[in-house]
Amino acid sequence: MNSKSSFFRENIAVGFMLFALFLGAGNIIFPPQLGQMAGENIVISMIGFLITGVGLPLLGIIAVAKNGGDLEILAGRINPYFGIIFTSIIYLSIGPFFAIPRTGAVSYSIGVEPFLTEAMRGSWIPLFITTLIFFGITFYLAYNPTKIVDRVGKILTPALLIVICLLAIKAVITPLGEAGVAQGPYINNAFGESFIQGYLTMDVLASLVFGIVIVQSLVARGVTDRAKQVKITIFAGIVAAIGLAFVYVSLGYIGVTSTSAIGFQEDGGTIISLAAQQLYGQAGNIILSAVIILACLTTSVGLLSANATFFHKIFPKVSYQVYLVIFALFSFGVSNFGLSDLINLSLPVLVAIYPFAIVLMIFALFGNLFNHAPSVYGMALIFTGIVAIYDGIKQAGFEIEAYDKFLSIFPFYEQGIAWVVPALVGGVIGYIMYLAKRK
């Protein structure tokens, strides 16, 4: 009985770890903004957001778990070289190039900067010191990957949940006000708008990356049976999904009830900051600071560990720890210099690669139906790329009017996911090729 109880607790810890790795600053900042914009349409809006902000990442975890916990294996079903190149792009995009540096910069701007004097805010020194400490702690927590479950799942995650609960419980007991009025696209298209916004959280990319962290932790604990790894990983994904849903609903509620107290704000960071101050006074800023720093830290640890693990596997002559040093120093530097430009640069890249990741993930879930034939994956991704790559180019500011007009004939063009139908058509063509080859 004790062994069963211990086994269950360890699985919960893995789920808590995965939840914390997912929950970054962006995940905390967006729901309050959705709440303000959705107003009286908050329920239908939250349903749309939860489908893509929670449902798709959960499917991503399941897809990767069933393919050995490794995105490269999944992508390599098309072609081994494609597997390495595509996986490298994914890891670097949500790793040292963009996402990891942003965790340090956001920790400073929301978690530290509000407590500084005007003179100190104008200096580069506070940012330098904050990010130096931040990435030093990140490096320490990620240095030994076998202890990530203990350090993140058993220590940081409970602390993160406690501070979020402090905000949520207070908001329910003493609401800031009544639900506001729906704004903009949330008036007539609350579900569709929220559905797309959830898709744009980019957590699907993270789900494809974090699988390797989970599997590595399980192997280090002696769980080498493939079926058992899949079972535990899926369980962890469900725990993480429940945690994310709780956070999104709680912060969405704070947003929807905050309008009369703080007015409409342009970004979710300002909304949650002002709401925290209304709920707890000056202590609210301290609570919010703790939430943001913990959320950024856990995400940074997961992404740094995942990147070091992947590139050590590809280039094993360089140790895991050396990769940690390289990526931590690179992220530290980027978080201090030119971050805003790099974030702007990241948007076109993410817009272009995100559809590839979704299509690959969904087709992998049903891969047994077509024996994981490379032609099905390949044609689906080629047709996806016809739209997705141009969407990335367009996001960068280069629009080809004739091509844009051509793409406008596809369903879901206005919602920014015109690649859906081409991906399905490509998959069907690939399946026909697969059947023809069998004959």
Side-chain angles (χ1 to χ4, degrees), residues 166-176 250 253-254 257 279:
L166 287 175
L167 287 174
I169 293 172
K170 178 68 171 171
V172 171
I173 295 175
T174 58
L176 294 170
S250 300
Y253 176 78
I254 291 175
T257 57
L279 291 168

Side-chain angles (χ1 to χ4, degrees), residues 97-117:
F97 282 3
F98 307 125
I100 297 178
R102 187 164 56 188
T103 60
V106 171
S107 293
Y108 168 76
S109 63
I110 298 179
V112 176
E113 190 176 28
F115 301 97
L116 303 178
T117 64

Side-chain angles (χ1 to χ4, degrees), residues 143-387:
Y143 187 81
N144 188 340
T146 64
K147 295 184 178 181
I148 286 181
V149 171
D150 292 325
R151 291 167 173 171
V152 175
K154 295 182 178 179
I155 301 173
L156 293 181
T157 306
L160 179 58
L161 283 172
I162 287 171
V163 290
I164 291 176
C165 284
L166 287 175
L167 287 174
I169 293 172
K170 178 68 171 171
V172 171
I173 295 175
T174 58
L176 294 170
E178 299 293 329
V181 179
Q183 304 291 310
Y186 290 86
I187 298 175
N188 298 315
N189 188 32
F191 179 85
E193 183 67 19
S194 301
F195 186 91
I196 300 303
Q197 291 300 318
Y199 148 66
L200 292 175
T201 61
M202 306 298 176
D203 276 344
V204 167
L205 299 184
S207 72
L208 299 177
V209 166
F210 287 149
I212 197 170
V213 178
I214 297 175
V215 172
Q216 183 183 32
S217 298
L218 294 177
V219 170
R221 289 171 172 272
V223 182
T224 56
D225 180 70
R226 175 76 174 276
K228 198 171 183 180
Q229 287 179 352
V230 172
K231 184 177 180 180
I232 294 175
T233 302
I234 292 175
F235 175 80
I238 294 172
V239 172
I242 293 172
L244 287 173
F246 165 74
V247 171
Y248 292 153
V249 171
S250 300
L251 297 182
Y253 176 78
I254 291 175
V256 77
T257 57
S258 69
T259 307
S260 60
I262 65 175
F264 283 103
Q265 303 296 327
E266 293 184 359
D267 64 88
T270 303
I271 294 170
I272 194 65
S273 178
L274 293 175
Q277 197 166 11
Q278 287 283 330
L279 291 168
Y280 282 101
Q282 186 59 32
N285 288 332
I286 298 175
I287 294 173
L288 179 63
S289 176
V291 171
I292 293 297
I293 292 175
L294 284 172
C296 288
L297 185 61
T298 52
T299 299
S300 180
V301 169
L303 291 175
L304 189 65
S305 176
N307 272 268
T309 299
F310 171 72
F311 285 102
H312 171 60
K313 187 187 72 171
I314 300 300
F315 306 105
K317 290 185 178 181
V318 181
S319 70
Y320 169 86
Q321 287 74 17
V322 170
Y323 277 117
L324 280 185
V325 172
I326 295 171
F327 292 147
L329 288 176
F330 184 86
S331 300
F332 165 69
V334 172
S335 66
N336 280 268
F337 303 102
L339 179 60
S340 60
D341 290 337
L342 279 169
I343 290 176
N344 290 333
L345 179 63
S346 73
L347 290 176
V349 176
L350 294 174
V351 168
I353 65 176
Y354 201 79
F356 285 97
I358 292 180
V359 171
L360 180 63
M361 173 192 77
I362 292 177
F363 273 80
L365 288 173
F366 300 97
N368 290 335
L369 297 178
F370 52 88
N371 200 29
H372 292 285
S375 61
V376 178
Y377 287 112
M379 294 305 296
L381 292 179
I382 288 174
F383 277 64
T384 299
I386 292 174
V387 180

Side-chain angles (χ1 to χ4, degrees), residues 16-32:
F16 277 177
M17 176 194 73
L18 182 59
F19 160 73
L21 298 185
F22 269 121
L23 191 66
N27 305 83
I28 291 175
I29 289 172
F30 177 79

